[in-house]
């Protein structure tokens, strides 16, 4: 799980922003992820200590220390992302994946971020939420020239505050964000015991419009997306959030879609503790069970995982927990088209009637699908079909897990007498 294919960057033309030429003699190697699974992060190999985050279906970028600078290398390039088993998308991302790797550093670190452009068009990187010099803010045309294909640019700044941030292009944004270019950026407190939690999960909320059977997103779509994803994965491709009972848990999210998402956690109430503007003072934290994620914003919430079980965790917009194909279905509830179906079958042997009693049948149906798409309602749990897709996962709270164990423990075994049951009169 910790092995990563490391590929050497072909160094393109190098344009230095404000860095000594000697520092650019050799670029840091950009590491690549092993796959679309969640990679539990190793402890920081160098630099100041911190408690690393877990990127859902993702990973954290390695770095090297160079004369007091913490150096990262992002390569912007086309990638293939498996959104769930059975469907792959042609996206743009960083270091072989969309989203790119999570950048983790510590308040006070001086970071040097090399960005190599291997896209067919120019790009930049904006460091959303960071307090930095205007010329490092990454807005193409405004704060710097765009990075042309083949060029490498350098961003250098000191991390002024800890918190929850992200990065994304500020060049041809509509296209580059619709294609999946984004990544998480966590700045840990200088004191590792400040804001300390036991498990700290991060993901970006994103969305794509990919026709069933196609693989490349439609980049001009404004609101009618058909794949609602977390870290460019959809249920049942989103890993569960595995937690040891009693742990203090933090979940951090950023929203880079074109609409808000009310993210709902079952089984718990939680406190909103951080935004991309900073930490919420304890006296100002507010309780929720659903947190609305505004567009272009980040939120973190925390809870003590005292209640064991399998707890649904999802967007509360019901179209966002469905995959492609579910959005243009006509309403057939109450329509008796039995005799139409009998006639149709004589003409079209595979003709199928759907939806006259609702659509729950579809969650348990083997339907022929075009290549490279996903059923709109899918997933199986211990009691049957879960009938979900898109932005849905499960928080799995279990007794007695080891500290660093994030492996899926399977389904929860409910104690006797604690499951809803059928009334037999
Ligand atoms: Cu949503």
């Amino acid at each position: 799980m910790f092995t990563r294919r490391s590929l050497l960057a072909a160094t393109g033309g190098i344009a230095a922003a404000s860095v000594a030429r000697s520092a650019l003699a050799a670029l840091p190697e950009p590491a690549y992820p092993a796959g679309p699974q969640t990679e539990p992060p190793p402890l920081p190999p160098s630099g100041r200590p911190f408690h690393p985050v877990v990127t859902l279906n993702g990973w954290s970028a390695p770095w090297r220390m160079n004369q007091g600078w913490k150096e990262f290398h992002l390569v912007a390039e086309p990638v293939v992302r498996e959104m769930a088993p059975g469907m792959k998308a042609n996206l743009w991302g960083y270091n072989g994946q969309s989203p790119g790797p999570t950048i983790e550093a510590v308040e006070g670190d001086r970071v040097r971020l090399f960005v190599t452009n291997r896209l067919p068009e120019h790009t930049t990187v904006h460091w959303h939420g960071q307090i930095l010099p205007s010329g490092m803010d990454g807005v193409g045309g405004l704060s710097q020239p765009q990075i042309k294909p083949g060029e490498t640019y350098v961003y250098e700044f000191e991390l002024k505050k800890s918190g929850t941030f992200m990065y994304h292009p500020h060049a041809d944004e509509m296209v580059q964000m619709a294609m999946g270019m984004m990544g998480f950026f966590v700045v840990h407190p200088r004191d590792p015991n400040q804001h300390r939690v036991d498990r700290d999960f991060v993901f970006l909320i994103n969305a794509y419009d990919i026709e069933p059977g196609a693989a490349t997103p439609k980049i001009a779509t404004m609101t009618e997306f058909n794949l609602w994803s977390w870290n460019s994965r959809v249920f049942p491709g989103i890993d569960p959030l595995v937690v040891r009972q009693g742990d203090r848990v933090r979940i951090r999210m950023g929203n880079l879609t074109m609409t808000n998402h009310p993210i709902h956690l079952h089984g718990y109430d939680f406190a909103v503790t951080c935004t991309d503007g900073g930490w919420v003072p304890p006296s100002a934290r507010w309780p929720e069970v659903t947190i609305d994620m505004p567009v272009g914003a980040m939120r973190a919430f925390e809870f003590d995982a005292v209640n064991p079980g399998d707890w649904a965790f999802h967007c509360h917009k019901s179209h966002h927990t469905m995959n492609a194909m579910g959005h243009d279905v006509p309403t057939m509830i109450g329509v008796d088209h039995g005799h139409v179906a009998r006639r149709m079958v004589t003409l079209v042997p595979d003709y199928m009637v759907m939806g006259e009693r609702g659509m729950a049948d579809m969650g348990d149906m083997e339907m022929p699908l075009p290549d490279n798409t996903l059923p709109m309602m899918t997933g199986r749990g211990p009691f049957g079909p879960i009938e979900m897709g898109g932005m849905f996962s499960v928080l799995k709270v279990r007794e007695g897990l080891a500290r660093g164990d994030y492996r899926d423990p399977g389904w929860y075994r409910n104690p006797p007498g604690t499951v809803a049951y059928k009334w037999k009169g």
Side-chain angles (χ1 to χ4, degrees), residues 137-153:
D137 198 40
V139 180
L142 176 65
S143 38
Q144 66 167 94
Q146 283 89 352
I147 310 170
K148 293 193 187 71
E151 290 180 337
T152 295
Y153 266 59

Side-chain angles (χ1 to χ4, degrees), residues 228-257:
W228 300 95
S229 43
W230 291 352
N231 280 352
S232 303
R233 295 274 288 185
V234 294
F235 182 75
I238 302 175
D239 282 341
L241 291 80
V242 178
V243 163
R244 178 173 59 169
Q245 189 176 358
D247 275 352
R248 179 78 176 169
V249 179
R250 180 185 296 128
I251 299 177
R252 318 189 199 213
M253 303 167 285
N255 179 7
L256 285 171
T257 72

Side-chain angles (χ1 to χ4, degrees), residues 228 260-262 315 317 320 391:
W228 300 95
N260 65 318
H261 300 278
C315 178
K317 288 186 174 174
H320 295 183
M391 296 173 169

Side-chain angles (χ1 to χ4, degrees), residues 56 201-203 205 230 235 238-241 250-253 262-267 270 289-291 293 301 303 310-316 321 388-396:
L56 262 195
F201 295 94
V202 312
F203 62 91
I205 298 173
W230 291 352
F235 182 75
I238 302 175
D239 282 341
L241 291 80
R250 180 185 296 128
I251 299 177
R252 318 189 199 213
M253 303 167 285
I263 304 294
H264 178 48
L265 176 62
H266 295 214
F270 53 75
V289 295
T290 301
I291 179 169
M293 291 293 311
F301 63 84
F303 56 94
D310 286 343
W311 303 108
F313 177 49
H314 61 94
C315 178
H316 220 293
T321 51
M388 287 278 139
M391 296 173 169
F392 181 92
S393 187
V394 180
L395 172 77
K396 298 191 171 191

Side-chain angles (χ1 to χ4, degrees), residues 165-246:
F165 311 103
M166 55 187 169
Y167 60 90
H168 61 77
H170 229 294
D172 195 14
E173 261 193 272
M174 180 191 83
V175 168
Q176 296 192 6
M177 307 249 278
M179 289 294 285
M181 298 193 72
M182 55 193 70
F184 222 95
F185 195 149
V186 175
V187 181
H188 295 279
R190 207 183 291 262
D191 172 1
N193 289 319
Q194 200 187 8
H195 304 299
R196 172 89 192 259
V197 293
D198 301 297
R199 300 203 178 205
D200 197 339
F201 295 94
V202 312
F203 62 91
L204 288 169
I205 298 173
N206 45 14
Y208 298 96
D209 184 11
I210 304 177
E211 297 260 17
T216 304
K218 293 202 269 186
I219 41 81
T221 297
M222 201 152 60
T223 53
E224 293 299 305
F225 296 88
N226 62 9
L227 287 162
W228 300 95
S229 43
W230 291 352
N231 280 352
S232 303
R233 295 274 288 185
V234 294
F235 182 75
I238 302 175
D239 282 341
L241 291 80
V242 178
V243 163
R244 178 173 59 169
Q245 189 176 358

Side-chain angles (χ1 to χ4, degrees), residues 269-281:
D269 44 49
F270 53 75
V272 179
T273 57
C274 191
T275 77
D276 28 1
W279 296 99
V280 180

